[in-house]
Amino acid sequence: MRPITKVVLGFVAIIGILQALLVATLAWPLNPLATWLVVTDQYLRWGLLGLSAVVLATFIVMLLVAILRQSTSTHLVVKSKQGNLSLSRQAVANVVAKSVASEHPVKNVSVDVKMLNRQQAAKVSVEAFSLNNTDLAEEGKRIEATATQRLMETLGIATKGVHVTLHPATATPRNANRVL
């Protein structure tokens, strides 16, 4: 999640929490309003309090997500003695995809990368169709090792994790054309 998204989400969550608390204080402790609610309909009062509790819980969860979720970015800046290098998400994905396709018997390699600014690392997700129908688990481990090694050797980026999804050769890709 980008930092600006986290800030906006946190701001909306704080506004929502304040709104839920104001509605709860309006529905519960004020004597004239409380007597009106008790006289008219007690279910309305409890319904308002229940809805306020749901809204409050929703916005508390939003605030926790905004605070605790890791920040991601579309670019990662690698600092060295020679200067700074800005790597885009797409460039890192292309490096991993080309190395996996060239070193392993796979086709239709799809790579998704999440750049983690604070840790100067990347999370990589690789999806491919194996040309072999046997030892998919071992092939997945080799692909994971290739992705980790390529990122460290070529770009100098640490990998936080590599997730490999390998489909058998007999499976049809999602983007394959169907002929009737």
Side-chain angles (χ1 to χ4, degrees):
M1 185 179 299
R2 291 191 197 153
I4 188 71
T5 307
K6 290 176 72 166
V7 168
V8 170
L9 190 63
F11 182 71
V12 169
I14 289 171
I15 297 288
I17 291 168
L18 291 175
Q19 181 268 336
L21 292 175
L22 286 174
V23 168
T25 57
L26 282 176
W28 189 261
L30 295 177
N31 287 334
L33 186 60
T35 55
W36 176 76
L37 286 173
V38 169
V39 170
T40 57
D41 192 7
Q42 185 151 353
Y43 295 113
L44 177 65
R45 179 177 175 202
W46 288 107
L48 281 174
L49 283 174
L51 289 175
S52 292
V54 169
V55 168
L56 178 67
T58 302
F59 284 114
I60 286 174
V61 168
M62 281 178 62
L63 183 61
L64 288 174
V65 166
I67 292 172
L68 300 176
R69 184 130 186 219
Q70 288 182 340
S71 294
T72 59
S73 175
T74 58
H75 288 80
L76 185 64
V77 178
V78 179
K79 297 176 182 176
S80 68
K81 295 175 188 173
Q82 293 84 13
N84 295 339
L85 174 64
S86 177
L87 299 171
S88 72
R89 220 180 77 177
Q90 189 64 36
V92 174
N94 286 341
V95 166
V96 173
K98 287 180 183 178
S99 65
V100 167
S102 66
E103 296 180 19
H104 299 281
V106 293
K107 62 180 182 178
N108 295 342
V109 179
S110 172
V111 178
D112 185 35
V113 177
K114 290 184 178 154
M115 308 293 255
L116 306 173
N117 280 337
R118 213 176 295 152
Q119 299 166 346
Q120 291 291 305
K123 280 186 177 179
V124 180
S125 176
V126 179
E127 184 175 357
F129 288 86
S130 175
L131 299 176
N132 302 338
N133 282 334
T134 58
D135 283 340
L136 293 179
E138 289 299 319
E139 188 67 35
K141 288 180 184 177
R142 288 192 293 268
I143 289 173
E144 180 179 340
T146 299
T148 304
Q149 177 186 8
R150 184 66 62 190
L151 286 176
M152 196 55 177
E153 283 179 359
T154 309
L155 303 174
I157 299 175
T159 53
K160 175 88 177 195
V162 178
H163 176 73
V164 178
T165 304
L166 206 56
H167 303 287
T170 56
T172 306
R174 283 181 283 151
N175 58 357
N177 294 330
R178 290 182 46 182
V179 179
L180 299 175

